[in-house]
Amino acid sequence: MELRQSHGHEIKDITKIHLEAFNETEGPIVSELAKNILNDKTAEPRLSLVAEKQNELLGHVLFTKLEIETDKYNLNARILAPLAVRPKVMKTGIGSKLVTKGCEQLKNDGVELIFVYGDPKYYSRFGFKPAKPLGLLPSHPIPKEYEEAWMVMNLANKTFQKMNCKVKCCQALDDPKFW
């Protein structure tokens, strides 16, 4: 299996992965989100990785620009959204490999923080921790029962003081329906 940067002509295949990976309610929403982010200039710089085996795309992950509104720090940050793996190969480690490769590449590129809004049990294994205790708030309110799902990974191994600031996503992701 090869993990590589996606190509512009693969958008149709990428959106199909997201459509298949989620249920019939979420699939169309996440698929459309992936397509919109891939076409969103405000998401740049972005990292779009695919897992490919025998000319078939099996998984996809996107990391896009994220701005942090703070006077204390000038931070290079990204957000991981969305991540999907075809159902026939779920639970085989493809998602983990995509996340790990993306985080490694972003660290090498000088990215300091990566955010995600997802399952804490899944993302904590990569080093993501709740972002709220650091004062790093999402651009839209999150229901209290999902606050632990708003997470951050410190790639720079820096110690940050509590920031009390909001993050700003690309236009395609900055919609309350995704929060």
Side-chain angles (χ1 to χ4, degrees), residues 44-162:
E44 296 174 1
R46 87 181 120 239
L47 176 61
S48 174
L49 297 175
V50 292
E52 180 181 34
K53 186 174 184 180
Q54 298 174 343
N55 295 317
E56 181 183 10
L57 298 187
L58 300 173
H60 176 252
V61 67
L62 262 171
F63 296 86
T64 56
K65 178 182 174 182
L66 188 89
E67 295 177 6
I68 301 175
E69 301 167 2
T70 176
D71 294 334
K72 290 182 184 178
Y73 305 102
N74 182 17
L75 297 168
N76 188 352
R78 300 291 184 278
I79 186 166
L80 185 167
L83 166 67
V85 174
R86 288 194 188 273
K88 68 181 182 180
V89 291
M90 281 184 181
K91 301 191 185 288
T92 63
I94 292 173
S96 293
K97 288 175 184 170
L98 285 165
V99 171
T100 300
K101 177 153 177 95
C103 292
E104 288 170 358
Q105 188 168 334
L106 291 170
K107 182 176 182 173
N108 291 338
D109 291 345
V111 171
E112 298 165 289
L113 299 174
I114 299 176
F115 290 80
V116 68
Y117 183 37
D119 181 359
K121 289 178 185 170
Y122 180 78
Y123 288 103
S124 63
R125 71 174 105 170
F126 303 104
F128 285 93
K129 297 181 180 193
K132 188 177 179 184
L134 297 173
L136 296 163
L137 306 175
S139 50
H140 297 282
I142 294 175
K144 189 155 185 69
E145 64 268 24
Y146 299 117
E147 284 180 349
E148 293 293 310
W150 176 240
M151 305 175 80
V152 65
M153 182 192 315
N154 182 348
L155 296 177
N157 295 320
K158 290 182 182 176
T159 301
F160 297 105
Q161 295 177 357
K162 190 169 181 178

